[in-house]
């Protein structure tokens, strides 16, 4: 069974009434409900020791979900490096919403990961542009969200290895809102929905995508390739 | 000097008053004006002998522009094959607007090239999602068109080698409206604007993109690789 | 359970002693052994009525394997079109070895699919260049084949959506020998090994790759997107 | 005229006789000869103040070439960040040979950029797998180098945006030896040849590729997109 760890900054929920109301136990607990039916789930948050991401926890994690926003800078560089190494080793990583600006995502992308944004209470439509991909299995042509924060292009990322969703917003912005990246032995999925005051993680299609992505990002059985001085191997 | 041939179906202009008014000499003549300042230009149309695309014309063409719509089926398969071979040999090909459904584009893509469409007189905004690309040089963040036909996802093409533009429409559709493909020694650019009753080819940014694309799609000096039985070559 | 149909030209086996010795029941039967442990398997061959690929057979096929060589031209265009449509609808397609020159592969790619080749009884090493991909699960860094036909670059295909293997040959040729393509709702995997007089389909790693590829190419539950005139849908 | 800055670590040349003999004035001076006929050229080296890469120098650089090997760690992080920002702003970057392990390349890639290597005085053949690309204009099917260090897969980089060369080595290794990446407004080209004791930078085809790459990586006239809070813009 795939072992999922859900990491949440868990700050908005403690101070902002609208967020408390939307996610009374924290965004991580709602996400745990979303993926807990199919996978073995743990949670971890910023204010725990080592942010809850000890060597042991990461070693026992197949796929890590990441939600952060106002405290990206408080994430310790040593922990970021530890997560980075685990991704290259094969751990899947699902970066949600404002996690686009996390240290770990920026480190993996090599770019600023910046974008345009606007919190206006308006809707979003995420178009499926990759119909054969397992991440969109069962999702159909698009996902409608009554309210989602606008994230607009240019999104300063490398061209994704696989582009899955493109979002449309009423202000005529567009956004590459579902993107797959492969780095080392690891698979990464960026998924845009999840503003803290909106109900995106209660949406069934969003939930389906996150479950599909867990399955997709899970490591294969290959270990890391050999690197370094190589005397060669005789052909068999 | 890059030698451009502009191919136009040239049917709407003969029968539809709105089109006549917009493009009195034909869409090809307006396109000739667009690229004629920088490149050597010829035109060719469906009703000419061999559709104006003789062996000689194609041999002397570095980049071919293609506009077609209501008469795709009237294009002779032998001419389609001839263009196909020239593209693989290195000739650039710029497919405009409803040319997405031309025989040559479908043959090069291997898919239906189908899409959603709606002619509603509304606007389009084309977002530049590839800011380092020469095709968008001087174009800035987006192109606004007051009126353009809606083309919506899913666009049934292979994932483009380079995604350049994504369009937003007021109906909340999106579209991969600028796409680069490499096939054989040839470079292909699909560009969405150009509905026959709207003034897209008078738009300066659209004109800039088309000129940039001519430059980008022009062949390099490489000839086709060798194919077939290969005895190998000694390392020098 | 994934339903696999294995298509084989089945001509060499009837006339060539070396091939008879290697694959006494035909290449399709050896492939049936390879994938039959995990999946529901049927076979079909060129000389059957409709080449064994009736509407019914294809409708009930999730993944089609394709081996052909000397009789590509005998495959009926109507059947090629039927397979093409099923791939775009979502059926997986695994093209083996000299199937690179089949009508169906060329139609899906839009290019000549030509290459360099040499049958010299020498070895091949296929390097895994995509370690996070499910197709190489359990395969490790490379596959060694004592004997395989040399296929060399330039391979005239579109850049694959995912490059999985690169082969090295003693003559200092290289080849993109494992390539994933997505077309419509379908996933396609090209895999180089399988010259009719060599024992590649008895190699355990080759067998593992083919099984992984069946899993990977199987359709998801999505139906084809809507195409055509679109009045739009209200945001929910 | 494109302004090129050539950065060289310039250490081997001071201590190793074989390198002194091969590149008496330093690798940077040989590279300056290579690109100096077509472009405006400056050089910069590790032991200069700010490694020769002051704000002013970088601001006036369109394309930066980078050669480093034994002293990657001595490159100041502040300078690495400065180069990184300039690349995202649009400066081209050409990473040569052992520069694959430089801080700047690893920062831009987000991976270890590790590989297999062997210095055995044997040959390399670089196959052109992207015949329509301007970087290979005039280069033909392959480049033969009598001696080049073996760099072998797996090369721990993101899948390149454009794969240009694949190398073959006598030990049956392969390597993605010419790779284009786009990051922010910048274009990056990694090119494998250039071991310090071999004569690769005297090879005419290698020289042609480097010149082509300078042309390709030069910035376009677009400035960086707007990022941050966005009130939107009315459709015109």
């Amino acid at each position: 069974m795939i072992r999922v760890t859900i990491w949440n900054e868990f700050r908005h929920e403690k101070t902002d009434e609208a967020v408390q109301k939307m996610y009374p136990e924290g965004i991580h607990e709602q996400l745990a409900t979303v993926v807990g039916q199919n996978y073995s789930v743990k949670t971890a948050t910023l204010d725990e020791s080592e942010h809850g991401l000890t060597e042991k926890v990461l070693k026992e994690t197949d796929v890590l979900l990441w939600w952060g926003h106002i405290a990206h800078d408080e994430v310790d560089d040593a922990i970021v490096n530890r997560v980075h190494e685990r991704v290259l080793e094969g751990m899947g990583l699902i970066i949600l919403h404002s996690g686009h600006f996390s240290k770990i995502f920026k480190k993996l992308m090599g770019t600023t990961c910046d974008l345009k944004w606007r919190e206006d209470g308006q809707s979003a439509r995420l178009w499926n542009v990759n119909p054969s991909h397992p991440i969109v299995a069962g999702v159909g042509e698009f996902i409608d969200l009554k309210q989602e924060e606008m994230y607009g292009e240019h999104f300063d990322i490398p061209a994704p290895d696989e582009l899955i969703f493109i979002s449309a917003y009423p202000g005529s912005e567009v956004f590459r809102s579902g993107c797959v990246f492969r780095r080392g032995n690891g698979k990464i999925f960026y998924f845009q929905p999840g503003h803290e005051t909106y109900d995106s993680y209660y949406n069934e299609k969003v939930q389906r995508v996150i479950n599909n992505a867990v399955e997709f990002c899970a490591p294969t059985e290959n270990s890391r390739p050999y690197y370094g001085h190589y005397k060669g191997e005789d052909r068999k």
Side-chain angles (χ1 to χ4, degrees), chain A:
Chain A
M1 186 181 262
I2 297 170
R3 299 162 300 173
V4 178
T5 299
I6 297 165
W7 192 87
N8 181 18
E9 189 181 273
F10 199 30
R11 289 283 175 84
H12 287 294
E13 296 94 327
K14 294 173 179 166
T15 57
D16 183 315
E17 231 174 289
V19 184
Q20 276 165 356
K21 209 173 152 185
M22 187 58 74
Y23 297 110
E25 315 292 320
I27 287 172
H28 52 297
E29 290 300 337
Q30 173 56 16
L31 290 169
T33 303
V34 168
V35 299
Q37 290 168 301
N38 304 304
Y39 310 108
S40 156
V41 174
K42 282 180 187 162
T43 65
T45 57
L46 179 64
D47 293 327
E48 294 174 48
S49 164
E50 302 185 44
H51 312 321
L53 298 173
T54 61
E55 291 278 6
K56 185 173 183 302
V57 165
L58 284 177
K59 206 181 156 185
E60 294 170 355
T61 298
D62 295 315
V63 180
L64 179 67
L65 273 68
W66 192 278
W67 199 103
H69 183 210
I70 45 168
H72 292 313
D73 286 347
E74 293 182 43
V75 179
D76 196 85
D77 286 342
I79 306 298
V80 173
N81 290 341
R82 186 185 286 171
V83 174
H84 186 251
E85 272 170 44
R86 270 294 290 150
V87 170
L88 299 183
E89 261 175 40
M91 182 182 72
L93 179 65
I94 299 175
I95 298 284
L96 294 166
H97 191 60
S98 43
H100 75 92
F101 237 29
S102 61
K103 286 181 178 178
I104 181 61
F105 191 57
K106 291 197 278 191
K107 185 177 178 73
L108 281 159
M109 296 296 105
T111 55
T112 68
C113 301
D114 214 341
L115 46 74
K116 296 182 178 65
W117 60 271
R118 184 176 61 242
E119 197 188 327
D120 59 7
Q122 287 200 274
S123 64
R125 178 169 287 178
L126 290 81
W127 285 93
N128 166 4
V129 296
N130 205 327
S132 76
H133 204 281
I135 284 183
V136 288
V139 169
E141 291 227 48
F142 57 75
I143 302 174
D144 260 358
L145 298 174
K146 250 196 201 97
Q147 292 193 303
E148 188 48 81
E149 186 176 358
M150 186 287 287
Y151 275 14
E153 296 284 344
H154 178 249
F155 187 13
D156 188 27
I157 49 171
D161 293 312
E162 299 177 297
L163 180 59
I164 312 290
F165 287 109
I166 298 174
S167 287
Y169 300 93
S172 76
E173 293 88 7
V174 298
F175 192 67
R176 288 169 290 171
S177 51
C179 298
V180 167
F181 305 90
R182 294 169 184 274
R183 296 293 183 271
N185 276 31
K187 292 182 276 285
I188 302 156
F189 180 55
Y190 174 79
F191 191 41
Q192 196 273 344
H195 185 65
E196 63 273 10
T197 59
Y198 305 144
D199 63 358
S200 297
Y201 296 134
Y202 297 94
N203 180 288
E204 281 181 26
K205 287 191 174 183
V206 168
Q207 294 180 351
R208 179 72 196 267
V209 169
I210 293 172
N211 276 282
N212 289 344
V214 167
E215 201 77 33
F216 174 79
C217 292
T220 71
E221 62 195 86
N222 282 330
S223 51
R224 281 285 265 171
Y226 171 82
Y227 298 110
H229 181 262
Y230 187 64
K231 66 179 176 54
E233 291 181 54
D234 290 340
R235 291 191 189 91
K236 281 160 210 164

